[in-house]
Amino acid sequence: MLFNSLTYLSLLFFVVIFFWNLSGRSRFFLIFISSLTFYGFWKIEFIILLLFSTISDWLISHQIVKYENKIKKKFLLLSLIINLSLLFYFKYLIFFSENTFGLLNLMGFKLDPILLKIILPLGISFYTFQTISYTVDVYRKVIKPEKDFILYACYVTFFPQLVAGPILRAREVISQFKKKNNFKWDYITDGFRRVLYGLFLKVVLADNIAPLVNSGFDLSLETLSAIDVWTLAFLFGLQIYFDFSGYSHIALGSAKMIGISFPENFNFPYLANSPKDFWQRWHISLSSWVRDYIYLPLLGVKYQVSSKGGLANATLNKNDQKPLFITWGLMGLWHGANWTFILWGLYHSLIIFIFRKILIINQNLKIKVNSYFGWLLTLPLMMLSWIPFRAESISDTIKMWGKVINPLKYNSLNLNENVYLITFVLMLGVIMTSYIKNKIQNSKSLNVILINIGDTVLIALIFYLTFIFLRPINQFIYFQF
């Protein structure tokens, strides 16, 4: 079931109506059944896989707290084996099989590859990370295992974020389910606005940018100039931003309509002044998950629980760069079973590594770097990173990057002339939107009446455009992950 469809909006409408007219555990059963219905609209048979992952980690978490030391660790290992095995089979087995047979053939062994037909379950990367974080947090004593299975199942299967995040932590959501909030109109109005804004980003912006991106990347690489490559990198960067942040807005808004608050997943990432800042603004839930459950453990940081349930007094050995490259390689592989995604991850690790070294030099020389200079350096580097994310192969990526660094390739414009203007206007729109939002939030002298009138007109315009373009033609980009 796609967010950008009348089917989903109808489901959301009925869930919201029934939720606020139910009480107690009836609300949990409504959310659980609605979530399975939402997932079953894609392929009903994969509900069994989702339930298996949910049930196994719920049972294992209760065993973890019964024991100490080695036995406790064995149950955690069992959870990891189950989750990662399922993820490997459905998402990576074909990739590793093809590469293994390719390597053997290069070594002189003439073997026919095994043809595998495996359907990738929708959202498996997301709900697998959620169940892993749950058992790990129980193991670390950050949380206690939830006794009520239906309540726990609501956390794993909650339909607004089930197939593409945000990746939630149990302590962020389960406690909110338990609060039994009373109805407030603010939940409906605030949630509706977020859903509407998300639909606008998806169906009006992202889906109308997509044909321009597709036609550009379908052109022969020989015909593209360096300016064309830059334009396509920026244009796809804007498409995936509008697409994924649009999904996140719909997820946050849908949850808000039943009184559940998700942490923000995007915060104007293209205004970041460093790669680190970018990843504190882009897909924030994934970045923080990877930091807490992969990067810091690889650094040897022991999870010390603070009063807020997070890391306390962690000391990082930033001279050890191996965890950085390993983490980003895994981050790339998480996004897709393809060498282009691994290259994308390693590209980011290299950029972060270089910026770290520059920061050390600046600290030693006591040079103050203007934040605008940092932004001007970061933005093009982040946009170039989207080329392997969208290109068909590593060789295509290398050729496109090669044009960018070749001064002789800045010699022509081969895309439709409107593409350059559209890209510039959209990028300018992102910058201006961030500026206006900050101005409104930080200023105490702005006329409230004028703001409300402007806001009403804007909402009406967004509603009209969204209604015109709403059609479940294009699924969200991150559904493939």
Side-chain angles (χ1 to χ4, degrees):
M1 189 182 296
L2 298 178
F3 275 0
N4 51 324
S5 68
L6 292 177
T7 307
Y8 173 76
L9 296 178
S10 300
L11 173 69
L12 178 62
F13 174 80
F14 285 110
V15 169
V16 172
I17 294 296
F18 280 107
F19 182 88
W20 291 116
N21 284 281
L22 295 174
S23 60
R25 296 188 76 243
S26 299
R27 289 181 171 181
F28 305 153
F29 280 101
L30 171 67
I31 292 172
F32 182 50
I33 298 302
S34 300
S35 298
L36 295 184
T37 302
F38 171 83
Y39 196 73
F41 259 76
W42 172 64
K43 283 190 178 293
I44 195 169
E45 57 268 30
F46 278 108
I47 290 178
I48 297 174
L49 179 66
L50 175 62
L51 289 175
F52 174 76
S53 181
T54 304
I55 293 170
S56 62
D57 279 308
W58 184 73
L59 293 173
I60 290 171
S61 68
H62 285 278
Q63 296 303 312
I64 288 175
V65 296
K66 288 183 180 180
Y67 302 96
E68 293 293 335
N69 302 326
K70 292 183 178 180
I71 298 179
K72 175 183 177 181
K73 189 173 291 186
K74 286 180 179 178
F75 278 108
L76 174 62
L77 183 61
L78 176 62
S79 171
L80 295 176
I81 289 173
I82 292 174
N83 283 294
L84 295 179
S85 295
L86 290 173
L87 191 60
F88 178 83
Y89 173 77
F90 285 103
K91 191 168 183 176
Y92 301 108
L93 183 58
I94 293 177
F95 172 71
F96 279 96
S97 174
E98 290 176 348
N99 281 276
T100 299
F101 277 95
L103 180 62
L104 290 174
N105 285 328
L106 285 175
M107 296 171 63
F109 299 95
K110 300 300 180 183
L111 299 173
D112 293 327
I114 300 174
L115 298 178
L116 300 172
K117 294 183 179 180
I118 301 174
I119 299 174
L120 178 65
L122 202 62
I124 188 171
S125 297
F126 289 89
Y127 69 71
T128 297
F129 269 25
Q130 286 200 184
T131 57
I132 287 176
S133 70
Y134 178 79
T135 51
V136 171
D137 283 353
V138 169
Y139 176 83
R140 291 171 168 177
K141 299 182 180 179
V142 174
I143 59 173
K144 294 181 180 179
E146 178 53 50
K147 295 180 181 179
D148 188 334
F149 171 73
I150 298 298
L151 181 55
Y152 163 75
C154 287
Y155 151 68
V156 178
T157 66
F158 194 26
F159 68 90
Q161 51 73 227
L162 176 58
V163 295
I167 302 171
L168 302 176
R169 313 287 178 93
R171 62 180 181 270
E172 294 171 339
V173 181
I174 292 179
S175 59
Q176 294 189 65
F177 283 134
K178 290 180 177 179
K179 283 183 179 179
K180 302 177 183 178
N181 291 329
N182 294 321
F183 175 79
K184 294 180 182 178
W185 272 110
D186 286 348
Y187 292 145
I188 305 299
T189 56
D190 292 348
F192 175 77
R193 290 164 65 93
R194 291 298 290 264
V195 170
L196 183 61
Y197 184 45
L199 286 172
F200 172 79
L201 291 175
K202 169 61 177 173
V203 304
V204 178
L205 296 182
D207 285 356
N208 285 289
I209 294 172
L212 302 178
V213 173
N214 294 340
S215 62
F217 275 91
D218 286 342
L219 292 174
S220 170
L221 293 181
E222 302 304 321
T223 66
L224 295 178
S225 69
I227 299 174
D228 298 332
V229 172
W230 276 113
T231 303
L232 290 175
F234 269 77
L235 196 59
F236 178 65
L238 290 165
Q239 180 200 349
I240 196 171
Y241 171 54
F242 294 143
D243 191 280
F244 193 25
S245 65
Y247 180 97
S248 296
H249 279 294
I250 299 171
L252 268 69
S254 299
K256 190 66 177 180
M257 293 175 82
I258 59 173
I260 305 298
S261 296
F262 289 169
E264 294 292 339
N265 209 26
F266 286 86
N267 181 24
F268 292 98
Y270 293 141
L271 277 296
N273 55 31
S274 70
K276 179 181 179 181
D277 187 29
F278 178 86
W279 284 103
Q280 290 174 341
R281 294 166 175 261
W282 177 283
H283 203 348
I284 301 168
S285 62
L286 175 64
S287 303
S288 62
W289 195 100
V290 169
R291 177 198 65 208
D292 291 347
Y293 299 100
I294 299 179
Y295 179 63
L296 292 178
L298 286 175
L299 275 177
V301 175
K302 292 185 178 180
Y303 202 92
Q304 305 170 55
V305 184
S306 69
S307 59
K308 295 182 180 180
L311 281 174
N313 302 321
T315 301
L316 306 183
N317 178 15
K318 292 189 177 181
N319 291 323
D320 186 1
Q321 303 297 338
K322 292 191 294 294
L324 173 68
F325 289 92
I326 293 172
T327 299
W328 274 103
L330 293 173
M331 175 87 99
L333 195 59
W334 179 88
H335 278 87
N338 195 306
W339 286 106
T340 55
F341 290 111
I342 297 175
L343 177 61
W344 171 85
L346 294 177
Y347 172 92
H348 277 285
S349 65
L350 180 61
I351 296 301
I352 292 172
F353 173 78
I354 292 172
F355 266 72
R356 281 183 179 179
K357 295 300 182 182
I358 293 174
L359 183 61
I360 293 173
I361 294 172
N362 283 346
Q363 289 175 342
N364 292 336
L365 298 178
K366 297 181 179 180
I367 300 174
K368 290 185 178 181
V369 179
N370 189 288
S371 60
Y372 289 109
F373 176 78
W375 172 68
L376 289 172
L377 186 60
T378 301
L379 178 62
L381 290 173
M382 294 302 103
M383 289 303 190
L384 282 179
S385 76
W386 294 122
I387 291 178
F389 214 86
R390 179 60 178 78
E392 293 295 325
S393 65
I394 287 182
S395 63
D396 286 355
T397 299
I398 300 301
K399 289 178 183 177
M400 294 180 78
W401 279 347
K403 288 177 180 286
V404 167
I405 62 175
N406 186 347
L408 298 179
K409 294 298 181 179
Y410 289 82
N411 57 352
S412 62
L413 301 175
N414 304 293
L415 304 175
N416 186 300
E417 61 183 14
N418 291 333
V419 173
Y420 306 102
L421 178 61
I422 290 170
T423 305
F424 174 78
V425 171
L426 288 172
M427 191 64 234
L428 182 62
V430 170
I431 296 170
M432 292 303 297
T433 302
S434 173
Y435 174 80
I436 293 170
K437 180 181 178 182
N438 290 333
K439 199 73 174 176
I440 292 174
Q441 289 179 340
N442 298 327
S443 179
K444 298 179 181 179
S445 60
L446 294 176
N447 190 303
V448 176
I449 296 177
L450 289 178
I451 290 175
N452 290 336
I453 293 174
D455 186 57
T456 302
V457 172
L458 180 63
I459 289 295
L461 178 61
I462 289 175
F463 182 84
Y464 172 74
L465 291 173
T466 302
F467 179 79
I468 295 297
F469 286 98
L470 181 62
R471 54 196 185 277
I473 295 176
N474 298 317
Q475 72 172 23
F476 288 84
I477 293 174
Y478 262 68
F479 276 20
Q480 62 185 294
F481 306 137

